Amino acid sequence: MSVVDVSTSGSAPGDREDLAWLYGPAPTRSPTDLPPRLSGPDRPDTLRGWPSPTPGGGLVRVPPTLLLGASGGAGVTTTAYGVASAAAEEHCPEVAPVIVDATPAGGSDLASRTADHRPPSATVQSWLASDHPGVGLPSAVDAVCGLSSSGARVLARDDRPLPRRESLVSVHRIVCNAGFTPVYDGGSPVGSPAVQPLLADGRISVGIVVAGRPDAANRLRPVLSWLDDHYGDYLLANTVIVVAQQTPFGGGAVVNHLRAHLGRWVRSVVEIPCDPHLAIGEAIRWDILAEATKEAYRLLLKELSS
């Protein structure tokens, strides 16, 4: 990817080889392979990839999603909220999105900004440390989560290490096996060791969030190079670039540049417009967001689910 020059436009890279094989099933024995489901009345009928109605008609399959920032302050938390809320807004009983704090240090403002209806009753650490045999049941997962007024659940984390030998793979396995759809707020950097097992699983959709500024967009080059070096074309071809506009001026040139130079290499580039409600930095409410912002998150959900 070339350096952004908002005064000029460049040609897109040349045609690549047919990459249709990249969209096949993930290899067996992936790091996040789920174990056989336990039986019992508290288990859901479906495990993952639940169908969700969309405003445009038809159904999309909502997969687990990992959102990462090209740099700090890119808007990953608000994007995770928007994706989860777009999945939850139709109140489809088969879809139960959970926003999970997967930031490297933990203890982000995820819970305070998104769980406006009900605060979480526990953190990931205290939940995983429980010896109760029913810790992975849907009712138990629901009980520890906070709740957004949009219907999305929120699984908070503090800055302590995860207990015992637990990891985000443990969280992913339990949350998915309980019938929920995790949406991970991975923050930055993209190379955080905690999220690497999730990046290795081709069944988890990946979005890279970048602020809508030339200097921020230029930071995509080392980020995408690192992903290509470690995970190859399979990941890049399925990655959605999310441009989060944080000011109402000058972001269109950045979006156009990224679409021209990355359109043949990534799944898509989606723009989230600047929204005054997001800009205040306080608790987010889906019903206060501008309709254009909500529609952008619905489009992003479709891209991540395609």
Side-chain angles (χ1 to χ4, degrees):
M1 185 185 75
S2 63
V3 174
V4 173
D5 180 355
V6 298
S7 64
T8 61
S9 61
S11 59
D15 291 335
R16 60 181 179 182
E17 296 178 2
D18 181 18
L19 299 177
W21 61 272
L22 296 175
Y23 300 93
T28 58
R29 303 188 69 179
S30 173
T32 49
D33 256 332
L34 301 177
R37 296 210 346 265
L38 301 177
S39 60
D42 203 21
R43 292 294 179 179
D45 293 331
T46 55
L47 183 60
R48 59 184 304 278
W50 302 270
S52 173
T54 63
L59 297 174
V60 297
R61 297 183 66 81
V62 181
T65 297
L66 172 63
L67 294 165
L68 298 165
S71 61
V76 182
T77 297
T78 55
T79 303
Y81 171 87
V83 169
S85 296
E89 71 172 339
E90 297 293 334
H91 305 290
C92 181
E94 292 85 3
V95 181
V98 180
I99 313 170
V100 181
D101 184 351
T103 54
S108 72
D109 62 352
L110 174 67
S112 62
R113 294 204 66 192
T114 63
D116 63 302
H117 186 71
R118 183 187 74 207
S121 64
T123 64
V124 171
Q125 288 92 333
S126 59
W127 170 56
L128 291 177
S130 172
D131 292 326
H132 192 282
V135 69
L137 294 176
S139 55
V141 175
D142 182 65
V144 302
C145 288
L147 185 64
S148 165
S149 55
S150 68
R153 292 164 175 81
V154 181
L155 190 53
R157 181 165 140 249
D158 58 38
D159 58 0
R160 296 174 298 166
L162 296 184
R164 297 187 290 262
R165 297 176 63 185
E166 305 288 5
S167 68
L168 286 178
V169 174
S170 312
V171 176
H172 184 79
R173 181 178 64 250
I174 298 172
V175 169
C176 288
N177 204 35
F180 296 91
T181 309
V183 178
Y184 295 101
D185 172 7
S188 66
V190 297
S192 167
V195 301
Q196 289 189 31
L198 303 181
L199 284 169
D201 191 333
R203 297 164 298 181
I204 298 177
S205 291
V206 176
I208 305 297
V209 185
V210 58
R213 307 187 312 270
D215 66 296
N218 287 336
R219 298 178 194 175
L220 271 175
R221 183 172 184 174
V223 167
L224 297 181
S225 294
W226 186 90
L227 290 173
D228 185 42
D229 288 344
H230 288 78
Y231 299 98
D233 284 345
Y234 183 95
L235 180 60
L236 287 184
N238 287 279
T239 295
V240 178
I241 304 299
V242 185
V243 182
Q245 302 290 4
Q246 299 175 354
T247 66
F249 310 107
V254 172
V255 175
N256 293 337
H257 179 92
L258 294 180
R259 285 176 175 159
H261 288 270
L262 295 179
R264 296 177 182 270
W265 301 99
V266 299
R267 171 167 291 181
S268 61
V269 178
V270 177
E271 179 182 14
I272 306 299
C274 177
D275 192 295
H277 179 52
L278 297 178
I280 62 176
E282 298 178 357
I284 309 169
R285 284 182 49 185
W286 181 256
D287 59 329
I288 297 180
L289 290 176
E291 185 58 37
T293 307
K294 292 191 281 190
E295 188 59 34
Y297 285 132
R298 295 181 189 118
L299 172 62
L300 175 56
L301 175 66
K302 289 182 180 180
E303 292 295 326
L304 291 166
S305 304
S306 62

